[in-house]
Amino acid sequence: TRRARAATLLTLALPGGAYVYQGEELGLAQVTDIPDELRQDPAFARQDPGVERADGGDGLRDGCRVPIPWSGDAPPFGFGPPGTVPWLPQPAEWADLTVEKQEADPSSMLALYRTALALRRDLPALGDGTMTWIDTQGELLAFRREPGFVCVVNVGEAPAAPPDAVRGGTLLLASDPLPEDGSLPGTTAAWFAV
């Protein structure tokens, strides 16, 4: 989840269009244990059951088409009247990832997406335009978007000092809380106004 949160800020800071796939904004993992008899993807009926994919996945689309968990503590999680069965089974552990629960948590994945997308819409530096890489030390990745925006990502595990390019800048958003010492924890991204 930490990597996904950091990757979200990295992706949304890049030039060009941004795409959010169903469930990504809630931190939902692709469902991998759909019983064969419940599969809906026509490609499932056409596949050779004896062939395994090199990437370990099944190559089918059902796992990313499971209905979104909106509310409640059990399937269908608000995706239909209580007691109904959605066309694809929703994992029970999604009870902690419903929109309803995440709206009440300012540190949730949904809150991160909403804040990042609002900033992306309102900041002239994001969206179209150019970017310039910033020289960094260690396992930091950083780039500038004009006017006055810097994205820094710590792709390592150890905390690191942000580059000089953000000194004196204002933290706009971070994928996880930053410590008081101003360092960037491992697997964390941050946006700065400079």
Side-chain angles (χ1 to χ4, degrees), residues 91-188:
E93 59 269 16
W94 281 8
D96 293 330
L97 300 173
T98 65
V99 172
E100 177 181 59
K101 285 203 176 145
Q102 291 197 44
E103 283 181 327
D105 179 3
S107 67
S108 70
M109 183 72 87
L110 181 59
L112 178 72
Y113 266 88
R114 286 181 172 172
T115 302
L117 289 170
L119 284 168
R120 183 179 166 89
R121 181 188 61 239
D122 295 340
L123 290 173
L126 297 176
D128 291 336
T130 60
M131 65 175 258
T132 306
W133 292 106
I134 296 170
D135 288 333
T136 59
Q137 300 293 319
E139 296 184 283
L140 289 182
L141 171 74
F143 56 89
R144 175 184 302 277
R145 305 287 309 277
E146 296 299 342
F149 174 88
V150 172
C151 176
V152 182
V153 185
N154 184 345
V155 297
E157 295 298 321
D164 290 342
V166 300
R167 285 218 176 116
T170 302
L171 177 66
L172 298 172
L173 182 62
S175 58
D176 282 300
L178 301 186
E180 293 291 325
D181 67 5
S183 66
L184 194 64
T187 318
T188 301

